[in-house]
Amino acid sequence: MRIFRGKGGRGGKALSVVRGLPRRDLEAVAKDLKKHCATGGTVKDGAVEIQGDQREKIAERLTAQGYTVKLAGG
């Protein structure tokens, strides 16, 4: 699973995108990450999108839950 930073269509605001999660886990993981990062987010096109550059927080949380995580992008 990879965590990207993007700005796609958000007026230059940062966005963290998690790709590679099993489809059955998307909604539950999105809810948990939104709560953990204290920010908004959504599930879109098979990926979890979290507002802001939260990649490190997300990586720590998912690693603690047993997922293998890799940060991608600059």
Side-chain angles (χ1 to χ4, degrees):
M1 150 185 0
R2 295 184 184 268
I3 304 172
F4 298 89
R5 179 178 57 212
K7 294 184 181 177
R10 294 184 36 85
K13 295 183 180 174
L15 178 73
S16 300
V17 181
V18 182
R19 295 193 185 278
L21 284 167
R23 286 222 180 258
R24 66 182 184 280
D25 295 346
L26 288 175
E27 292 292 335
V29 169
K31 183 176 181 178
D32 180 59
L33 290 176
K34 288 190 294 185
K35 189 173 183 178
H36 179 71
C37 296
T39 188
T42 188
V43 174
K44 190 174 185 182
D45 299 327
V48 176
E49 297 181 353
I50 301 294
Q51 294 175 356
D53 185 5
Q54 308 279 347
R55 293 182 305 160
E56 288 78 22
K57 266 186 172 181
I58 293 170
E60 289 174 16
R61 184 68 166 195
L62 292 177
T63 301
Q65 293 177 354
Y67 292 102
T68 303
V69 177
K70 192 175 217 179
L71 296 180

